[in-house]
Amino acid sequence: MKITDLRCAVIGRHPIVRVVTDEGVYGLGEVEYTKPYLKPWVLHFREALIGEDPTDVERCMLKIRQRGSFKPYGAAVSAIEHALWDIAGKAANVPVYKLLGGKVRDKVRVYNGSIRKKRTGDRPEDYAADVKWMMERPENFFMVKQGISFHSNMKDSIDDFHYGVRQEKAGYHGAMDQGQISERGMAHMIDCVIAMKEVLGDKVSLALDCGPGWFLNDAIRFAQATEKYNLMWLEDMLTGDYVPWVNPQAYRELTVSTSTPIHTGEQIYLRHNFKELIETQAVRVVGPDPADIGGIAELKWVAEHAYMHSIMMAPHGTANGLLGLGALINVCATLPANYIAFEYPSASDPWWEDIVIGLPKQIVRDSHVDLLEAPGLGLDIDAEGTKKYLSEEDAGFFD
């Protein structure tokens, strides 16, 4: 089997990768909807892969892996890797998890980071109402994650939240706000935590997505102040979204200062950049995204290394889409006992549920998803139903 083409189309907001072979077998991969601009980066790898055997996944990856980078530019490599595994599973007529060593669990636990409605504001009562709505959803999530501080509008909506430079209309995926957090800002965040925990109690766990943008002194103060609320973790305080470095020394000082688990990893590309973070016990939880780290095999290598160092694993995935969900299910079925849950990626537009083939009507039950038993990553796209979402330049995507 040989690769004859590598294609990429932006469907909705997601760049979708399609690797085509001379035997009619194809593989699909999906990039987060936050990165519609990555189509040229995907196609940049076409020449390197034409003529290769896609079932030799690692051999293909050796040609392109070194040409990716930290979030967002590792996404192009990652989505291609997913498509290669999809072909390898289809060629062997088995789900991809069989090729990754086989399953260790029959259902995979997930948490809610993506199923949301617009919050009414950034006050404690707004946060309380929001988690109540999430808590009462039919998915019965065991844990919800909320954005606060620099990973929310709080930095703009709360007067004098911090003393740093304020970016105009940057949003929390734009230019990074940073600065010493004011006493008022710190008290406001703690009040929001208290309000959410009063609603959730010990029935539903709470994690906080915090940054990036914190300085170490504030991170230590907040982590210690919230210890009594038994948070699942504090995520990406010092580094995080679109920050192309790791800073394990600062993370280690934060981690050893508190009993609140510290989490990072969604922006990190390749296992090599997790090495010091894990081996120095710099965090208690790592959260690589299979659509950013370099693929599902890369994520599994990190999970195994973290397991040997008693560090927990909770993969990121909120914007990965329904095809990205297939990749998460397959790799997380194989992970060791340090696996907690992955961040469930819901459809970015309602019509995705009409064009993705292979998912049950109710995907999440009691905070778990069933394994996908179809060969490859277990999912496909309805080519005919998708045509109306293709641009003119992508009209031949399914040919």
Side-chain angles (χ1 to χ4, degrees):
M1 184 184 293
K2 302 294 181 185
I3 295 172
T4 56
D5 204 0
L6 169 64
R7 302 173 185 173
C8 185
V10 179
I11 303 176
R13 291 172 285 169
H14 295 267
I16 304 297
V17 174
R18 189 167 186 258
V19 176
V20 184
T21 70
D22 60 355
E23 295 186 16
V25 181
Y26 61 86
L28 297 170
E30 183 166 16
V31 176
E32 283 186 320
Y33 68 74
T34 54
K35 305 164 187 166
Y37 50 85
L38 280 188
K39 178 181 174 180
W41 273 266
V42 173
L43 296 177
H44 172 69
F45 297 108
R46 183 178 182 274
E47 185 179 348
L49 294 174
I50 297 295
E52 293 292 327
D53 183 342
T55 65
D56 292 329
V57 177
E58 180 61 15
R59 187 171 182 172
C60 291
M61 293 305 296
L62 288 172
K63 298 189 77 173
I64 67 173
R65 185 182 284 131
Q66 75 278 12
R67 291 158 70 179
S69 188
F70 273 64
K71 186 177 183 177
Y73 301 108
V77 175
S78 302
I80 292 169
E81 195 253 18
H82 296 178
L84 295 173
W85 279 113
D86 195 26
I87 293 172
K90 290 172 180 174
N93 199 33
V94 295
V96 166
Y97 68 75
K98 291 284 190 184
L99 304 181
L100 296 175
K103 65 182 179 181
V104 297
R105 48 185 65 83
D106 294 318
K107 295 177 183 289
V108 182
R109 188 183 298 274
V110 300
Y111 72 89
N112 185 26
S114 70
I115 301 180
R116 301 184 174 278
K117 63 177 183 176
K118 186 173 176 59
R119 199 169 53 241
T120 51
D122 298 307
R123 302 165 301 173
E125 56 265 39
D126 301 317
Y127 273 91
D130 199 35
V131 296
K132 183 176 187 295
W133 177 81
M134 287 193 274
M135 182 183 187
E136 294 173 349
R137 287 193 56 83
E139 295 87 358
N140 196 24
F141 286 110
F142 88 103
M143 186 189 101
V144 299
K145 187 167 78 174
Q146 279 282 39
I148 65 161
S149 184
F150 297 107
H151 201 81
S152 72
N153 294 323
M154 189 182 288
K155 65 183 187 295
D156 298 317
S157 62
I158 304 303
D159 290 338
D160 300 320
F161 180 79
H162 69 91
Y163 302 127
V165 175
R166 287 177 178 264
Q167 308 293 337
E168 291 295 326
K169 299 180 181 179
Y172 57 82
H173 282 105
M176 188 169 77
D177 279 21
Q178 259 189 312
Q180 174 84 29
I181 296 173
S182 67
E183 182 177 355
R184 173 187 292 185
M186 189 70 66
H188 177 82
M189 288 188 293
I190 293 170
D191 286 344
C192 290
V193 172
I194 294 169
M196 287 188 282
K197 286 300 293 182
E198 284 178 351
V199 171
L200 298 172
D202 61 1
K203 294 179 183 177
V204 177
S205 295
L206 175 65
L208 299 180
D209 204 343
C210 300
W214 298 61
F215 284 99
L216 182 58
N217 58 337
D218 284 330
I220 290 173
R221 290 168 62 208
F222 185 75
Q224 291 179 345
T226 55
E227 284 177 347
K228 58 187 172 185
Y229 302 112
N230 296 314
L231 299 178
M232 201 71 169
W233 63 67
L234 298 176
E235 181 173 337
D236 285 352
M237 301 185 89
L238 308 178
T239 60
D241 261 1
Y242 300 93
V243 177
W245 59 85
V246 182
N247 208 356
Q249 300 92 338
Y251 266 115
R252 174 165 168 75
E253 188 168 346
L254 172 58
T255 288
V256 299
S257 74
T258 180
S259 63
T260 303
I262 304 301
H263 172 302
T264 196
E266 72 180 71
Q267 89 282 15
I268 299 175
Y269 183 62
L270 299 186
R271 72 201 99 148
H272 311 73
N273 293 305
F274 280 90
K275 187 174 186 293
E276 187 178 353
L277 204 64
I278 291 170
E279 292 176 359
T280 63
Q281 301 284 324
V283 291
R284 301 293 183 219
V285 189
V286 288
D289 191 317
D292 282 301
I293 189 177
I296 56 179
E298 202 75 28
L299 183 142
K300 181 164 183 177
W301 281 318
V302 170
E304 298 282 2
H305 198 50
Y307 171 73
M308 291 190 294
H309 291 79
S310 198
I311 292 170
M312 306 307 288
M313 164 62 82
H316 183 267
T318 185
N320 291 9
L322 295 184
L323 293 176
L325 174 62
L328 278 159
I329 292 170
N330 273 276
V331 66
C332 292
T334 74
L335 299 185
N338 61 335
Y339 173 75
I340 302 172
F342 72 76
E343 186 175 27
Y344 175 67
S346 52
S348 54
D349 291 291
W351 46 262
W352 275 102
E353 296 178 3
D354 299 325
I355 65 171
V356 172
I357 302 166
L359 286 169
K361 188 170 183 180
Q362 184 175 343
I363 301 170
V364 181
R365 295 177 182 272
D366 290 327
S367 208
H368 286 78
V369 294
D370 291 325
L371 301 193
L372 302 171
E373 299 301 340
L377 293 177
L379 301 174
D380 204 348
I381 291 183
D382 174 7
E384 195 59 38
T386 305
K387 284 182 179 178
K388 60 185 174 183
Y389 302 111
L390 292 175
S391 66
E392 186 176 339
E393 70 176 49
D394 293 327
F397 183 68
F398 291 106
D399 290 350

